Amino acid sequence: MNQNEINSKQILDTGLVFVLIVLLVAFRIKNLQLVLLAIVLLLISMSAPRVFSPLAKIWFGLSHLVGTVVSKVLLTLVFFLIVTPIAVVRKLLGGDSMQSRVWKKSKESVFKTYDKEYKAEHLRNPY
């Protein structure tokens, strides 16, 4: 299914979301006419949900756009506020997880060699 295509469940959900929004506004401003509008929207949503198809396309398109932007912003913030400071502190404290200093000083390999015979029970519980 194409990203821009919406299914009937999404259209029904959009109608119900608009019913909920109208009910919340009606409750907030204490307007009974909006409750009647919510009932009409609910009846339309249950009997002819395709009426909400254009709104559903806009609604889910907007949610996809917001999700894309927010995920990139959050990942950027996590990187610069968590990962970068930890890397700077490790660098200042002399951490060398990749053993690059040892590797640069000698011609020897920094890979650890294990002279051990592996058996089937080692593979069942590797940790």
Side-chain angles (χ1 to χ4, degrees), residues 14-43:
T14 302
L16 294 177
V17 164
F18 282 105
V19 169
L20 180 63
I21 290 171
V22 170
L23 282 175
L24 289 174
V25 170
F27 178 74
R28 179 75 177 134
I29 65 173
K30 297 177 180 30
N31 187 344
L32 288 178
Q33 292 174 345
L34 288 178
V35 173
L36 293 175
L37 175 63
I39 292 171
V40 169
L41 287 175
L42 181 63
L43 289 174

Side-chain angles (χ1 to χ4, degrees), residues 62-114:
L62 182 65
S63 69
H64 179 70
L65 177 69
V66 168
T68 302
V69 171
V70 168
S71 66
K72 287 180 176 32
V73 168
L74 282 178
L75 287 173
T76 302
L77 286 174
V78 165
F79 182 79
F80 284 110
L81 296 177
I82 295 173
V83 175
T84 303
I86 290 173
V88 169
V89 168
R90 281 189 49 96
K91 188 76 168 172
L92 291 174
L93 294 176
D96 190 18
S97 299
M98 293 181 60
Q99 299 178 353
S100 59
R101 285 186 222 119
V102 175
W103 186 52
K104 290 179 182 178
K105 286 182 182 177
S106 69
K107 300 280 184 193
E108 299 292 320
S109 174
V110 292
F111 294 108
K112 296 178 182 176
T113 57
Y114 294 100

